[in-house]
Amino acid sequence: MSKLILENQDVKITIIDRDGVTHQVDAPTDMAMNLMEVVRSYELAPEGTIGVCGGMAMCASCQCYVLSDTKLPEMQDDEEAMLSEAFYVKENSRLGCQIPITPELEGLEVELAPES
């Protein structure tokens, strides 16, 4: 029974919004959400400025900078291609829509990239 409880836990994620404000949020691991959807659900970016393509790795509006050394899923070709064309890209850039919320993300720290 305790295993079931663990699977439904939220993870704590720190998100620095585009105004430099730090938010500690609880992200559910049991709803098949991704980081971009968490940012949207907490309204940490103005409506229409994040997740413009609906999470298909086709717009880079959800680009963020990973500040912690949290282990993330490997970058796929479509994410890499999108970031190669995006503005404000850094070594630690990732697309939030390509980071599924899993228990392994506990303690993740990201900063939203400037709107482009």
Side-chain angles (χ1 to χ4, degrees):
M1 175 136 178
S2 62
K3 186 176 191 292
L4 182 66
I5 292 169
L6 279 175
E7 287 174 6
N8 290 332
Q9 282 188 330
D10 292 349
V11 290
K12 290 230 179 293
I13 295 178
T14 302
I15 300 170
I16 302 170
D17 68 21
R18 290 177 178 143
D19 295 323
V21 179
T22 301
H23 305 269
Q24 281 254 300
V25 301
D26 292 318
T29 59
D30 60 343
M31 292 177 60
M33 291 179 81
N34 61 47
L35 184 59
M36 175 270 293
E37 292 167 328
V38 170
V39 171
R40 284 171 72 166
S41 67
Y42 279 95
E43 299 178 348
L44 301 182
E47 186 72 36
T49 65
I50 190 161
V52 175
C53 74
M56 305 300 292
M58 294 172 68
C59 73
S61 65
C62 64
Q63 181 189 175
C64 59
Y65 307 125
V66 180
L67 305 177
S68 57
D69 59 3
T70 309
K71 179 126 175 67
L72 298 176
E74 204 169 307
M75 194 181 301
Q76 301 301 308
D77 291 345
D78 51 355
E79 180 180 6
E80 210 168 315
M82 190 65 248
L83 284 172
S84 73
E85 300 173 13
F87 295 103
Y88 312 114
V89 175
K90 297 181 183 178
E91 283 289 312
N92 58 345
S93 288
R94 290 295 301 262
L95 297 181
C97 68
Q98 300 300 300
I99 302 175
I101 302 300
T102 62
E104 291 76 28
L105 292 191
E106 178 67 41
L108 175 68
E109 291 183 44
V110 298
E111 179 180 359
L112 299 182
E115 189 181 345
S116 56

